Amino acid sequence: MLSLTMFAVLLGFGAIAGFLAGLLGVGGGLVIVPVVVGVLEAAGLGGNYVQHLAVGTSLAVMVFTSVASVREHHKKGAVSWGIVRGMAPAMVLGTFAGSLLAGYIPSNGLKWFFVVYAYVIGAQMFLGAKPPASRNMPGLAGKSAAGGVIGMVSSWVGIGGGSMSVPFMSWCNVPVHTAIATSAALGWPIAVSGALGYLSSGWGVAGLPWGSLGFIYLPAMAALMLMTVLCAPLGARAAHTLPVAKLKKAFAVLMVVMASEMLWTLLRHS
């Protein structure tokens, strides 16, 4: 079982993840996954399935976080529901397929994927290259293709897809506040399908800690969910007033720090 100190760590990082989820439309998984990995390893839980449990737990938490975030963005009229309808179905299929495949990928393989992904997206967010003014959102086929890819990658990294869908929409000249709000709405179908996939792929797996439901670790999920649901609306409100471009750069630095910590762990244990 987890100690009180470990629960306190989860509550603290849950608050950070929830605020960032509302603020940047990123789901919070890039904060949650490394924290759950660290807590489980410190508690000696999870064995060879630590990363699977961390990703599955992250997606389960985001089922609730995304609802709290998008409700606040919707009040501001910032969600483009047309984009949501165009991308969500393929996202669901991509996420569910990827989460089922994840059960056959070694835990270290998922960790390496997370490290590379976080470095690449961190650099992209920090540099913030601007697209040509003539570029627009693609048609239904293009939205579906993008949604499928984002969903599958999200299922392997344990995110709501925002760190890909926000840059994608911004690349297509969608205003940043609309991109963030719409990404928050897209996070819910990704989270639901991904959580169900990790629950299914981990069902009946031997050696999982008590309190696991498939690859979802319920004690950690409960602590994280409490704080993310409370703090996501605060981040969503702040997104409409704070300098988001500067905050994106700060979050990019956070991504690089967490990726570096996980890289150090991988190299140390190799």
Side-chain angles (χ1 to χ4, degrees):
M1 289 293 293
L2 304 183
S3 67
L4 290 177
T5 301
M6 292 173 183
F7 274 111
V9 168
L10 290 170
L11 290 170
F13 278 95
I16 295 170
F19 185 81
L20 289 172
L23 181 68
L24 299 176
V26 293
L30 284 167
V31 175
I32 292 173
V33 171
V35 170
V36 175
V37 167
V39 166
L40 288 175
E41 289 181 341
L45 301 174
N48 293 326
Y49 297 103
V50 167
Q51 189 72 10
H52 298 77
L53 285 164
V55 174
T57 300
S58 173
L59 288 163
V61 169
M62 284 184 288
V63 171
F64 303 92
T65 309
S66 58
V67 172
S69 175
V70 77
R71 285 180 63 187
E72 196 64 37
H73 283 297
H74 180 66
K75 289 178 186 177
K76 303 285 186 182
V79 180
S80 174
W81 292 107
I83 294 176
V84 173
R85 286 190 294 270
M87 295 181 68
M91 275 188 169
V92 169
L93 293 175
T95 303
F96 191 70
S99 59
L100 290 177
L101 288 172
Y104 300 96
I105 302 174
S107 186
N108 275 356
L110 289 176
K111 286 183 180 181
W112 277 110
F113 188 88
F114 179 90
V115 168
V116 173
Y117 173 83
Y119 276 133
V120 170
I121 297 300
Q124 187 274 334
M125 290 179 74
F126 190 83
L127 295 173
K130 293 185 177 180
S134 59
R135 183 172 291 137
N136 296 308
M137 284 292 292
L140 181 60
K143 290 189 186 81
S144 296
V149 171
I150 291 171
M152 184 165 287
V153 174
S154 298
S155 73
W156 293 337
V157 183
I159 60 172
S163 51
M164 285 178 290
S165 57
V166 170
F168 170 70
M169 284 184 270
S170 298
W171 184 68
C172 296
N173 286 306
V174 175
V176 66
H177 288 104
T178 301
I180 288 171
T182 304
S183 173
L186 287 168
W188 190 80
I190 286 180
V192 171
S193 55
L196 288 174
Y198 272 86
L199 187 154
S200 300
S201 61
W203 194 265
V205 171
L208 297 180
W210 180 90
S212 298
L213 190 65
F215 285 134
I216 299 172
Y217 187 53
L218 296 178
M221 187 197 86
L224 290 161
M225 180 186 69
L226 173 65
M227 297 308 296
T228 58
V229 168
L230 289 174
C231 295
L234 301 178
R237 287 176 211 147
H240 296 274
T241 57
L242 297 180
V244 175
K246 291 182 179 179
L247 287 164
K248 275 189 175 182
K249 290 187 177 182
F251 186 58
V253 172
L254 178 64
M255 290 170 67
V256 169
V257 169
M258 290 195 161
S260 299
E261 182 181 7
M262 190 168 286
L263 176 62
W264 168 247
T265 302
L266 282 165
L267 294 175
R268 189 179 59 190
H269 292 157
S270 61

